[in-house]
Amino acid sequence: EDIERLLGTEAVRFDSDKVKKNSEIAEILRNIAGDSTKVIVGTRMMTKRLGTEKFALAVILNIDASLNIPDFRASEKAHMELSSIADLLEPGGQLIIQTRFPQNPVFRYLREGDYASFVLEELAVRKTLCYPPYSRLLQITFSGNVDLPRLEEVIGKAGPNVEALAPVVEKNGKGDERITFLLKAGDKRMLRSAAKKVLSICRTVKALKVVVDVD
């Protein structure tokens, strides 16, 4: 509504609240391909579905929400997202990014179009912190009958060469807890052995749901 008021043109919404069916997506894409649509406002749902149309301007709001998630791949994913949007610009088009951290290397490499240097710096950081591809990861999520001190004790027995990162504790709308541990090791066999050990101990706990996600 603000965009329509400021620019004096109709803005088309493209997000999951507005678009529910495949037929509605197809209709919006047909409208975008025409000459009548000047401004599109959307989410990742939109950027994943836009085809070969080219745009004069793209504006990305609050990219920091993607960069600051607790995931070692955050910079990589943000770079992929920004690059995919930049590819939709016509020659001479402009990309505006809202951020509180303009010094982040992601933006410099994106502006310079230097993907190779971005990869080298990202790999150097991961090697220092021993993240993939220099290690293997295993995520274990517990929900239901959760006892955090007991779980921390169990995870501590995973193995001498397995590093357990601090747990992430979340609550759903009902107040039920979900606790996630991330295990890190240099060898997949160590992680597999650690997972088996943890699962064998947890089988004795009633109403405890355990989900294991490798890499």
Side-chain angles (χ1 to χ4, degrees), residues 127-177:
K127 187 173 185 179
T128 301
L129 299 176
C130 196
Y131 275 117
Y134 305 101
S135 67
R136 305 303 294 264
L137 295 179
L138 185 144
Q139 180 177 280
I140 305 182
T141 302
F142 302 90
S143 58
N145 185 18
V146 175
D147 180 348
L148 181 55
R150 172 61 177 154
L151 289 179
E152 289 179 319
E153 181 184 341
V154 170
I155 294 295
K157 299 177 180 178
N161 297 315
V162 177
E163 179 185 359
L165 304 185
V168 175
V169 182
E170 303 170 287
K171 286 190 177 183
N172 61 20
K174 299 178 181 179
D176 299 325
E177 282 191 340

Side-chain angles (χ1 to χ4, degrees), residues 5 21 27 36 53 63 65 68 74 84 88 94 104 110 115 121 129 133 135 162 190 197 209 213:
R5 177 176 55 82
K21 302 175 182 177
E27 177 63 24
S36 59
E53 292 1 300
I63 191 63
N68 293 326
S84 67
L88 296 172
Q94 189 175 16
N104 192 304
L110 183 74
Y115 177 70
E121 180 164 330
L129 299 176
S135 67
V162 177
M190 296 178 187
K197 190 179 296 185
K209 182 180 179 182
D213 183 7

Side-chain angles (χ1 to χ4, degrees), residues 36-97:
S36 59
T37 301
K38 301 297 183 184
V39 180
I40 311 165
V41 180
T43 60
R44 285 191 182 94
M45 177 184 183
M46 172 189 69
T47 56
K48 289 179 179 179
R49 288 171 170 81
L50 291 176
T52 58
E53 292 1 300
K54 294 295 182 179
F55 300 88
L57 172 69
V59 180
I60 300 172
L61 302 181
N62 194 24
I63 191 63
D64 300 340
S66 297
L67 281 169
N68 293 326
I69 59 174
D71 186 336
F72 73 95
R73 300 165 297 179
S75 293
E76 176 188 357
K77 290 181 176 180
H79 191 284
M80 290 173 60
E81 181 181 353
L82 294 170
S83 296
S84 67
I85 294 173
D87 288 343
L88 296 172
L89 294 174
E90 62 188 28
Q94 189 175 16
L95 174 62
I96 298 176
I97 302 170

Side-chain angles (χ1 to χ4, degrees), residues 103-118:
Q103 69 277 13
N104 192 304
V106 170
F107 305 126
R108 182 177 79 252
Y109 292 126
L110 183 74
R111 184 169 55 245
E112 297 171 355
D114 191 354
Y115 177 70
S117 296
F118 167 75

Side-chain angles (χ1 to χ4, degrees), residues 10 24 55 78 99 104 142 150 166 170 184-187 193 205:
E10 181 183 0
E24 294 173 330
F55 300 88
T99 177
N104 192 304
F142 302 90
R150 172 61 177 154
E170 303 170 287
K184 186 164 56 170
D187 188 280
S193 175
V205 182

Side-chain angles (χ1 to χ4, degrees), residues 1 13 41 49 76 100 102 104 111 150 154 181-182 185 191 196 215:
E1 292 172 349
R13 274 185 57 186
V41 180
R49 288 171 170 81
E76 176 188 357
R100 295 175 178 83
N104 192 304
R111 184 169 55 245
R150 172 61 177 154
V154 170
F181 288 87
L182 192 65
L191 287 178
K196 288 180 178 179
D215 287 335

